[in-house]
Amino acid sequence: MMKENPSAGSPASKPRVGLFVTCLVDLFRPTVGFAAVKLLEDAGCVVEVPTAQSCCGQPAYNSGDRAAARALARQLIAAFEPFDYVVAPSGSCGGMIKHHYPHLFDDDPAWQARAERLSAKTFELVSFLTDVLGVEQVEARYTGVVTYHDSCSGLRELRIKHQPRRLLASVEGLSLREMEEAEVCCGFGGTFCVKYPELSNRMVGEKAARIVASGADTLLAGDMGCLLNMAGKLQREGATVRVRHVAEVLAGMTDVPAIGEPG
Amino acid sequence: MHPTSQTFKANASAALHDAALQRALKNLKSGFPGKRAAAIAKLPEFDALRDAGRDLKNHVLEHLDFYLERFEAQVTAQGGQVHWARDAAEANRIVLDICRAVEARTVTKGKSMVSEEIGLNDFLAANGIEPIETDLGEYIIQLRHEHPSHIIAPAIHLNRDQVADAFHAHHGQYGFTERNENPRALMSEARQVLRQRFLNADVGITGANFCVAETGTTVIVTNEGNGDLTQILPRVHIVLASIEKIAPTLEDVSTFLRLLSRSATGQEITVYTTFSSGPRRPEDVDGPEQFHVVLLDNGRSGMLGGEFQDMLRCIRCSACLNHCPVYGAIGGHAYGWVYPGPMGSVLTPQLIGVDIAGALPNASTFCGRCEDVCPMRIPLPAMMRHWREREFERHLSPAGFRFGLRAWAFFAQRPKLYQSVTRIAARVLRWLGGRNGRIKSLPLAHGWTAWRDLPTPQGQTFQQQWAARQEKRS
């Protein structure tokens, strides 16, 4: 499927990727996990999914429970250390491992060293495909006008901006129409959306209005949390915009109903 | 100022339903961020300047005692006087003593957030001295008996008609009997009223954007010129500054100024940049007879050497407020004390206690825009997280929330058990959603479903499907 495939040489040279599925993809949207596997395999990777994984620990970390966050980080580090790369279909979880894990162990040099080694080989899915593997296009079809929401962690912690847009440009039948303020938070914020529901609602309400105003028929983003939030709001307001994770479109796996759609 | 940060959630809710406030906040969002972006686009070395500013301030904070003493020596050498205030009460007392010594009846004030922090206006008024705010925004909110809702645009929560109402209610005594809504006319009205007050004032009080250790100079940046009239016309000039405002040299001030005005209003430089070095010298044509600098600690020295030290780099530009989606939704008053927005969410718990202001560092999605635009590269989200850690350690976070977090962490640390639970959860949620693919109402997730549908899981979890696929493959 991939036209550019620099790593697809002999099987021995294939990079071994541990897929960190993320808790939201695991529970809500397995299709995204399979899309990730497909994209990675098409790009010449050997993909494995360690069973000893659950959550990266971000909810605990951002709630001030450092002990629980550390316990979850140690679990993930141990499970993923053997791989050449760790890839997650989420900028938020990817950012947690890449930027925050080393800080979790500021007073524990041995674990900090392990966290730093893991950090160096951890990537968000789309930036891994483009920035690390050099993938420049995909062979997929999607008929529609899409708009892309830049999820905060991916954008500001991992600098993911042009990578998904570049790959989307190679999808046949797809055109991209930017919404206004694509870089402004959708109001999800993990536990924020239940701790401050009224504020969160205001933010996602404004986001939904921007999405509808763009005139796109499909909303894409790279993080399930944001996607569930925006899909839930759009649907509550009766908007007809379909919502999908960007990996689904890039992998050509759009035959399943969109997020929150009947089926 | 009596804090209302404890009721942040209710304050925020009221703000969201305040139609006039919402109208005013639209102006904020359409104004500052665009101007800042345009100004920075014209300065390719802006990020290098941010690094320089950060390093410079870090250096100052490492040697703060040295620079503060140097600053004091230079002020004294020029005939001025430095007063050290441990807290708000001491600072207020010092200002009052200076005012009383010259039998002051009225005091004009340039814009100063430190004076808000110590509650100076109420204190002076209670002691028979009338404080008169001269910054237009500050003047307007003083008429309305309000506090600033923004650190550089104190009346940003107001609309023109509200300003017109305030002037109409108060300016009759000066002969302005007609209600006016024209911005230029309103400005001219304020100017005429304030002119006489400038001339009559016995003492002028300003803040300081910077205190220059090399020369004993204090610096203010303004756009209205009121700061100059405040500090030049009266016999006594009092500068109120917090201890972290030090810049080692005049050269360093220029680095900070380039960052400050662009980050704040998108200006390359503010209309007035005023340097004050001591009282009037014999050869000077104007200036005050006395020059006092009150240096306020109020908890800041306790931040040195700890996880909140980086916050002391703040130069009060307000870029974090202007780019914060939460501030943009509710404005500044909901935060319940002097400093709103992301910088306030870090500073307020330090200054008035995390038990009072604990809600503030929680009211963030950690979207990271504040850190992204901060000219001093202050890691604001990381410091809000530190406050959450303090709260968690001290059991200040709500019991129900802590229990939920603990229960979730228990399962998450046992992947096998976790996966069997998620398998069930996926099926139950799917069943609840029926054919719709989404849930309209879920009692345990009311915070979510009150305003949004909850998309249901696709069916089996990924791990379940993956295991089945691996089995088939082998």
Side-chain angles (χ1 to χ4, degrees), chain A residues 159, chain B residues 46-54 58 310 313 370-380 383:
Chain A
R159 301 290 157 196
Chain B
F46 188 72
D47 275 343
L49 266 179
R50 291 170 77 194
D51 292 340
R54 175 198 58 204
N58 282 345
D310 290 344
R313 289 205 299 267
C370 50
E371 182 174 357
D372 232 29
V373 297
C374 177
M376 303 302 287
R377 296 199 189 276
I378 299 171
L380 291 154
M383 284 188 296

Side-chain angles (χ1 to χ4, degrees), chain B residues 338-391:
Chain B
V338 176
Y339 300 105
M343 57 80 68
S345 296
V346 176
L347 203 54
T348 307
Q350 173 73 27
L351 298 185
I352 65 173
V354 69
D355 44 337
I356 296 172
L360 307 188
N362 280 284
S364 163
T365 61
F366 285 161
C367 82
R369 259 184 124 195
C370 50
E371 182 174 357
D372 232 29
V373 297
C374 177
M376 303 302 287
R377 296 199 189 276
I378 299 171
L380 291 154
M383 284 188 296
M384 286 186 237
R385 190 181 292 110
H386 287 321
W387 279 122
R388 297 183 190 186
E389 285 166 0
R390 297 268 179 102
E391 287 185 276

Side-chain angles (χ1 to χ4, degrees), chain B residues 298-314:
Chain B
N298 210 24
R300 288 167 175 80
S301 55
M303 296 163 79
L304 289 168
E307 56 197 350
F308 299 106
Q309 176 172 315
D310 290 344
M311 191 61 223
L312 295 174
R313 289 205 299 267
C314 178

Side-chain angles (χ1 to χ4, degrees), chain B residues 208-321:
Chain B
N209 290 93
F210 308 103
C211 296
V212 190
E214 176 189 39
T215 54
T217 303
T218 62
V219 185
I220 56 170
V221 296
T222 62
N223 281 318
E224 297 169 12
N226 64 302
D228 292 26
L229 293 176
T230 298
Q231 67 178 57
I232 286 171
L233 294 176
R235 283 176 291 147
V236 179
H237 177 199
I238 304 175
V239 179
L240 274 176
S242 46
I243 53 171
E244 81 282 11
K245 292 282 165 69
I246 288 281
T249 67
L250 288 169
E251 192 68 34
D252 298 330
V253 169
S254 82
T255 303
F256 290 134
L257 284 176
R258 297 181 79 194
L259 288 164
L260 176 60
S261 47
R262 286 179 175 84
S263 301
T265 52
Q267 290 168 290
E268 286 174 0
I269 190 145
T270 43
V271 178
Y272 298 89
T273 305
T274 309
F275 295 77
S276 314
S277 309
R280 176 181 196 160
R281 286 159 291 206
E283 67 273 25
D284 287 346
V285 291
D286 55 19
E289 292 161 20
Q290 295 180 28
F291 179 74
H292 300 270
V293 182
V294 181
L295 285 173
L296 176 73
D297 182 344
N298 210 24
R300 288 167 175 80
S301 55
M303 296 163 79
L304 289 168
E307 56 197 350
F308 299 106
Q309 176 172 315
D310 290 344
M311 191 61 223
L312 295 174
R313 289 205 299 267
C314 178
I315 54 174
R316 307 288 190 269
C317 71
S318 81
C320 63
L321 281 68

